[in-house]
Amino acid sequence: MNLLNLERELVDKVMDEVLYVSKALFEEGLVKSTFGVVSKLIPDTDYVVITPSGFKKERISKDNLIVVDLDGKVVSGNLRPSSETPMHVFIHKNIREARCVVHTHSPMATVFAILKRDIPCIASEQAFTFGGKIPIVKKYSYPGTTNIEELESIVEALRISRAALLPRHGVIVYGETAEEALDNAIVVEDIATSAIFALLLGEPTEFTEEEIRYLQEFKKKRYGQRKT
Ligand SMILES: [Zn+2]
């Protein structure tokens, strides 16, 4: 499908969502300086809107966003796309539900990434949102990796949980919507902060499979507003 054939309104809507998430990440303190990446699939296409490389998220506008295909090739935009484009498009390509992908260096979660440690599932917020530990990616070298085994390792971790840790680097999350991806980035940082203090002050206990199942059921059946 040619991008020119796409309705401008549809592309604009996805761009608005990418801008909304980018600015919210900045305001929440989850991305600083020029770091952090947001990408979102344009519905029913093989195209992705992604943030530019080395660009402060609070200054970003529609003119700075780039459209790439699922191989990472630029199809529209004036700037260079994020250096993490290969990772983002690989995730979009391989996980159907990953319609929005967010990468941050949010500080507390990055502590676990630096130590190459999973965030253990010790708080109900984590069991509820992610259904278990936030895993560290097993095979990973450097930011901007294009190594296929490493990209597969990232997807493997994201099949365990919608958030994963990039060793000595940061956080990668996805959501079925832009809002969910943003929320997942916020919650990872929140639970990492609690986990660090809990691990410093005492010996927290991990949720069992059965307890996690209970919380996931609770989320499905009793949490939020009922659809009418
Ligand atoms: Zn990064």
Side-chain angles (χ1 to χ4, degrees):
M1 187 191 292
N2 191 316
L3 183 67
L4 296 173
N5 297 335
L6 289 177
E7 281 180 41
R8 193 64 227 176
E9 263 174 43
L10 182 64
V11 180
D12 266 3
K13 186 176 168 284
V14 175
M15 285 188 165
D16 281 336
E17 291 176 303
V18 170
L19 289 181
Y20 166 73
V21 174
S22 300
K23 289 184 177 163
L25 288 172
F26 185 82
E27 280 157 18
E28 293 278 345
L30 301 179
V31 300
K32 309 239 166 86
S33 182
T34 57
F35 300 114
V37 188
V38 180
S39 65
K40 178 138 199 301
L41 204 57
I42 302 174
D44 305 320
T45 75
D46 288 339
Y47 295 116
V48 170
V49 173
I50 193 161
T51 48
S53 182
F55 213 89
K56 283 198 175 181
K57 299 293 162 291
E58 90 269 35
R59 286 201 292 115
I60 220 160
S61 71
K62 260 185 206 172
D63 293 340
N64 313 133
L65 296 176
I66 296 120
V67 179
V68 295
D69 64 18
L70 285 180
D71 293 321
K73 210 174 112 238
V74 174
V75 288
S76 137
N78 303 316
L79 298 173
R80 253 167 94 187
S82 164
S83 55
E84 296 295 357
T85 298
M87 171 173 74
H88 278 247
V89 293
F90 194 83
I91 296 166
H92 284 296
K93 214 175 186 172
N94 287 282
I95 303 179
R96 202 172 49 88
E97 297 83 8
R99 298 196 184 97
C100 185
V101 178
V102 171
H103 163 55
T104 77
H105 300 169
S106 68
M108 297 300 156
T110 299
V111 170
F112 285 90
I114 290 167
L115 294 170
K116 301 182 184 173
R117 269 201 218 169
D118 301 332
I119 304 177
C121 189
I122 52 179
S124 57
E125 184 179 334
Q126 183 170 343
F128 185 88
T129 308
F130 295 108
K133 68 177 183 183
I134 307 297
I136 187 87
V137 169
K138 290 205 177 90
K139 197 167 171 26
Y140 190 78
S141 57
Y142 303 107
T145 183
T146 56
N147 179 298
I148 191 77
E149 282 175 37
E150 294 182 18
L151 295 173
E152 278 167 0
S153 189
I154 294 166
V155 163
E156 191 187 313
L158 286 172
R159 290 197 198 283
I160 298 170
S161 155
R162 289 187 177 195
L165 303 167
L166 304 168
R168 298 188 296 181
H169 179 185
V171 181
I172 184 83
V173 305
Y174 76 82
E176 291 183 33
T177 61
E179 224 160 65
E180 190 211 328
L182 170 64
D183 207 50
N184 286 344
I186 292 170
V187 174
V188 169
E189 183 63 1
D190 205 29
I191 57 183
T193 308
S194 303
I196 288 172
F197 282 103
L199 292 162
L200 281 172
L201 292 177
E203 289 175 14
T205 50
E206 287 193 50
F207 276 84
T208 63
E209 290 293 323
E210 196 188 332
E211 289 170 327
I212 290 172
R213 257 197 308 276
Y214 173 85
L215 283 165
Q216 291 279 301
E217 274 301 295
F218 173 81
K219 180 180 173 183
K220 233 187 272 166
K221 293 188 177 149
R222 290 169 52 199
Y223 188 74
Q225 301 304 314
R226 211 175 273 274
K227 286 193 184 87
T228 50

